[in-house]
């Protein structure tokens, strides 16, 4: 049913934004659970893979095991449990091909705006086309995200809009201004846009940062660089885990692939939940465990507390994992070093520190983090009213108060991204089936009156710098379900896979009166 006053546009039942890990998973679940639904996947870049196609820096890999980062419906069969980026990208692309998703993907299609009409119960989606756009790799340098020239705009319509674009900007990483950067005579690079022509063999490298990217880069670059220094303002918790999984290997030899995968997945889910729970309940004990592990892997007498002893509790920020202790090994063997200090300025030959020392460098890598960008920067309007994401409440961590027929996918901060992405995709399918069975055309979360901003919480509950910089631009959470998720897979599993799809929402039909404008959550002071 369409509004006579509105032009006809190409229509699909479900429009999925993003052809990365989440988007390909969402499309695969949709094909399995709702085979009668038409759909399209819009991808702003020129290839499948999302994060795993964009990031091409040395050593790029997962920091979650692949038995939980992999899809629930497609076993991870490779030997390494902590996999490199190329293997993950291949896994996602193979999943798209095997599930018949490839023909539905439109590359170089960037969604810029989506307008909801309650009268028609449809989204009208404005898309910027930046290239020929029908096949991966057309006109794009792999890993750069640089698309061909602007090819105009197009418009589609859909009943349900499913955004799987992650939460950070693909075109721009976070790069603080460093005094004297223009004086440095070497190369300065950001990991998010790694130059293919960078030759660092035999050169001195300084990696600025202490997060997952930095601890990945340092041991990888140290294999061929003259020396690599990880320069951090403050330390991060780093834990060593085996790159392989001996129990998984034994199970896979004895059981059918899907059965073994299910058991391994649950083993790893319970292990990660247990370690996270211990961190929150007994932080001093977890600190001691992490410190003991680092001290055992580093040279005798190493200043563990200065370089690997953060002031915050474990999991206030995401814990970094290094496979087989590769970072510690690089430090122990003298190929790399960790310096904890503050930058005074860049010089022609390196970095001057506030302590008065200078780090010589031929290459400086600014592994300084991400810029958040909710729902890919898409502007939403509901019946002509602009949606301010910061004034909405997140419903079950995946829908927004007052915004009909819309979902977003944000993975866990304390566990594998895909565990949450699978739950969201399955929930959307349950919701669509329920609406079809009952003859509904729309579903809108309706926010309760929470009584004040003190009962609200950020959608991403981390103290990391990239979160703090932009958290006020994101939706909020309430105090309890369904308006609050607790970073707990078991609780979310009960809520999203077994719980009702009818709580705290309003269903409607295309002939109903227009839905109200997005419900504003109390502002957080």
């Amino acid at each position: 049913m369409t509004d006579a006053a509105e032009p006809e546009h190409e229509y699909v039942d479900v429009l999925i934004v993003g052809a990365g890990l989440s988007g390909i998973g969402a499309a695969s679940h949709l094909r399995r659970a709702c085979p009668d639904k038409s759909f399209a996947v819009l991808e702003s870049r020129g290839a499948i893979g999302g994060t795993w196609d964009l990031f091409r820096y040395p050593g790029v890999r997962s920091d979650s095991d692949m038995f939980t980062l992999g899809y629930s419906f497609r076993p991870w069969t490779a030997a390494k449990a902590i996999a490199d980026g190329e293997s993950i990208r291949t896994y996602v692309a193979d999943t798209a091909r095997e599930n018949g998703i490839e023909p539905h993907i439109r590359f170089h299609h960037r969604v810029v705006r989506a307008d909801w009409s309650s009268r028609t119960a449809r989204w009208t989606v404005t898309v910027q086309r930046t290239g020929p756009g029908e096949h991966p790799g057309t006109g794009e340098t792999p890993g750069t995200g640089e698309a061909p020239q602007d090819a105009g705009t197009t418009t589609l319509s859909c009943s349900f809009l499913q955004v799987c674009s992650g939460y950070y900007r693909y075109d721009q990483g976070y790069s603080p201004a460093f005094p004297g950067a223009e004086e440095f005579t070497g190369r300065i690079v950001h990991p998010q846009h790694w130059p293919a022509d960078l030759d660092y063999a035999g050169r001195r490298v300084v990696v600025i940062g202490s997060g997952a990217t930095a601890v990945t880069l340092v041991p990888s670059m140290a294999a061929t660089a003259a020396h690599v220094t990880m320069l951090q303002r403050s330390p991060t918790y780093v834990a060593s885990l085996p790159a392989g999984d001996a129990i998984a290997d034994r199970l896979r030899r004895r059981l059918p692939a899907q059965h073994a995968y299910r058991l391994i997945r649950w083993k790893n889910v319970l292990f990660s939940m247990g370690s996270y729970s211990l961190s929150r309940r007994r932080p001093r004990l977890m600190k001691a465990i992490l410190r003991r592990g680092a001290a055992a892997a580093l040279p005798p007498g190493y200043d563990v507390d200065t370089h690997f002893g953060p002031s915050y509790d474990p999991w206030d920020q995401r814990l970094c994992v290094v496979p087989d202790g590769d970072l510690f090994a690089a430090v122990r063997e003298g190929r790399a070093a960790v310096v904890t200090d503050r930058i005074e300025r860049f010089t022609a030959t390196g970095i001057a520190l506030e302590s008065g020392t200078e780090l010589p460098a031929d290459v400086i890598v600014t592994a300084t983090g991400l810029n958040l960008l909710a729902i890919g920067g898409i502007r939403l309007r509901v019946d002509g009213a602009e949606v301010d994401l910061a004034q909405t409440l997140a419903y079950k961590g995946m829908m927004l108060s007052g915004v009909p027929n819309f979902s977003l996918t944000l993975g866990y901060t304390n566990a594998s991204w895909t565990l949450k992405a699978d739950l969201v995709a399955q929930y959307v399918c349950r919701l669509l089936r329920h609406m079809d069975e009952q003859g509904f055309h729309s579903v809108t979360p309706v926010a309760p009156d929470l009584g004040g901003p003190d009962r609200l919480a950020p959608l991403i509950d981390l103290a990391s710098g990239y979160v703090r910089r932009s958290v006020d631009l994101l939706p909020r959470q309430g105090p309890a379900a369904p308006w609050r998720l607790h970073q707990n897979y078991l609780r979310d599993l009960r809520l999203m896979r077994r719980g009702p799809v009818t709580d705290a929402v309003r269903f409607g039909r295309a002939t109903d009166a227009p839905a109200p404008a997005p419900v504003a959550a109390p502002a957080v002071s």
Side-chain angles (χ1 to χ4, degrees):
M1 179 178 181
T2 58
D3 190 333
E6 297 176 355
E8 291 283 351
H9 302 294
E10 180 186 355
Y11 170 82
V12 291
D13 294 318
V14 180
L15 193 61
I16 297 170
V17 181
L21 191 64
S22 302
I24 298 303
S28 299
H29 280 291
L30 188 68
R31 288 214 70 179
R32 290 163 174 267
C34 303
D36 57 321
K37 296 292 183 187
S38 61
F39 72 95
V41 181
L42 303 185
E43 169 56 49
S44 64
R45 303 179 67 252
I48 292 171
T51 294
W52 303 107
D53 181 71
L54 174 68
F55 286 109
R56 301 295 180 108
Y57 59 80
V60 58
R61 55 169 170 77
S62 66
D63 61 355
S64 299
D65 71 277
M66 287 304 301
F67 300 106
T68 56
L69 190 65
Y71 299 116
S72 59
F73 55 84
R74 187 172 187 267
W76 173 257
T77 58
K80 285 189 175 181
I82 300 178
D84 60 274
E86 176 66 31
S87 298
I88 300 171
R89 183 167 59 251
T90 299
Y91 172 81
V92 176
D94 289 348
T95 301
R97 186 183 63 255
E98 292 175 10
N99 287 272
I101 308 303
E102 283 184 326
H104 299 268
I105 303 174
R106 305 181 190 189
F107 295 97
H108 297 306
H109 279 54
R110 182 187 304 279
V111 178
V112 295
R113 196 179 75 207
D115 292 86
W116 170 263
S117 167
S118 293
R119 182 173 179 182
T120 62
R122 286 187 180 182
W123 287 100
T124 298
V125 180
T126 303
V127 180
Q128 180 184 12
R129 299 188 61 175
T130 54
E134 299 305 329
H135 301 286
T138 50
E140 178 176 302
T141 302
T144 67
E146 296 176 359
Q149 69 279 4
D150 185 0
T153 61
T154 187
T155 305
L156 296 86
S157 66
C158 64
S159 291
F160 200 96
L161 182 60
Q162 195 167 1
V163 177
C164 301
S165 59
Y167 58 66
Y168 68 90
R169 286 188 63 166
Y170 274 41
D171 63 330
Q172 182 186 96
Y174 176 66
S175 295
F178 292 107
E182 69 283 354
E183 299 175 14
F184 181 62
T185 57
R187 293 193 67 174
I188 302 173
V189 300
H190 192 285
Q192 191 163 325
H193 299 293
W194 194 265
D197 64 345
L198 178 64
D199 180 12
Y200 54 87
R203 300 189 177 187
R204 299 164 300 177
V205 179
V206 174
V207 178
I208 301 173
S210 59
T213 302
V215 303
T216 299
L217 277 164
V218 170
S220 180
M221 299 184 76
T224 55
H227 188 267
V228 180
T229 301
M230 186 170 86
L231 172 59
Q232 58 183 13
R233 185 171 54 185
S234 59
T236 298
Y237 290 108
V238 179
S240 175
L241 289 179
D245 188 324
I247 295 175
D249 293 341
R250 288 196 294 271
L251 287 172
R252 290 193 290 187
R253 286 195 297 267
R254 290 170 170 78
L255 296 172
Q258 188 64 47
H259 294 314
Y261 185 60
R262 190 175 297 116
L263 288 174
I264 300 163
R265 191 176 175 90
W266 272 110
K267 170 186 76 73
N268 291 357
V269 164
L270 294 174
F271 175 80
S272 65
M273 288 182 62
S275 61
Y276 178 77
S277 178
L278 180 64
S279 298
R280 307 316 281 170
R281 293 171 184 266
R282 301 188 65 185
R284 293 179 64 183
L285 174 60
M286 182 55 77
K287 280 185 180 183
I289 292 171
L290 292 170
R291 186 191 185 283
R292 188 160 56 244
L298 291 163
Y302 189 88
D303 191 352
V304 177
D305 293 327
T306 295
H307 302 305
F308 291 97
S311 58
Y312 58 85
D313 287 339
W315 282 112
D316 283 351
Q317 298 183 27
R318 190 173 174 95
L319 185 140
C320 291
V321 171
V322 291
D324 294 330
D326 60 0
L327 173 66
F328 299 133
V331 173
R332 188 174 62 246
E333 296 162 7
R335 295 179 289 113
V338 179
V339 173
T340 305
D341 206 332
R342 289 180 175 268
I343 296 172
E344 181 177 285
R345 64 181 292 106
F346 285 18
T347 68
T349 57
I351 300 177
L353 304 176
E354 289 186 359
S355 63
T357 60
E358 181 171 346
L359 295 177
D362 304 304
V363 177
I364 296 174
V365 182
T366 55
T368 46
L370 310 168
N371 283 321
L372 292 191
L373 183 67
I375 64 171
I378 301 169
R379 292 176 56 195
L380 300 178
R381 291 195 300 188
V382 174
D383 293 322
E386 202 83 21
V387 176
D388 181 355
L389 291 182
Q391 297 301 312
T392 62
L393 284 182
Y395 171 80
K396 298 183 179 178
M398 55 160 285
M399 298 178 74
L400 301 177
S401 60
V403 181
N405 292 26
F406 175 89
S407 72
L408 55 87
T409 300
L410 292 177
Y412 289 118
T413 56
N414 66 339
S416 162
W417 179 277
T418 315
L419 291 174
K420 176 68 179 303
D422 270 343
L423 290 179
V424 171
Q426 291 166 341
Y427 189 92
V428 168
C429 292
R430 287 181 61 210
L431 188 59
L432 292 174
R433 291 198 304 268
H434 174 81
M435 292 167 65
D436 286 346
E437 291 165 0
Q438 301 300 319
F440 293 124
H441 301 135
S442 66
V443 56
T444 309
V446 180
D449 181 4
L450 297 177
D454 57 322
R455 306 196 68 196
L456 300 180
L459 182 58
I460 301 176
D461 187 18
L462 280 180
S464 303
Y466 72 92
V467 175
R468 293 198 306 268
R469 286 193 298 270
S470 304
V471 69
D472 290 341
L473 303 177
L474 300 178
R476 315 293 176 154
Q477 293 194 94
W483 301 100
R484 181 74 173 268
L485 292 183
H486 295 276
Q487 298 293 324
N488 184 301
Y489 179 66
L490 291 180
R491 292 177 68 172
D492 294 348
L493 189 68
R494 290 193 295 269
L495 176 68
M496 300 184 71
R497 191 177 291 177
R498 308 297 180 194
V501 296
T502 56
D503 53 332
V505 297
R506 184 190 66 250
F507 292 98
R509 296 181 173 84
T511 54
D512 287 352
V519 177
V524 177
S525 57

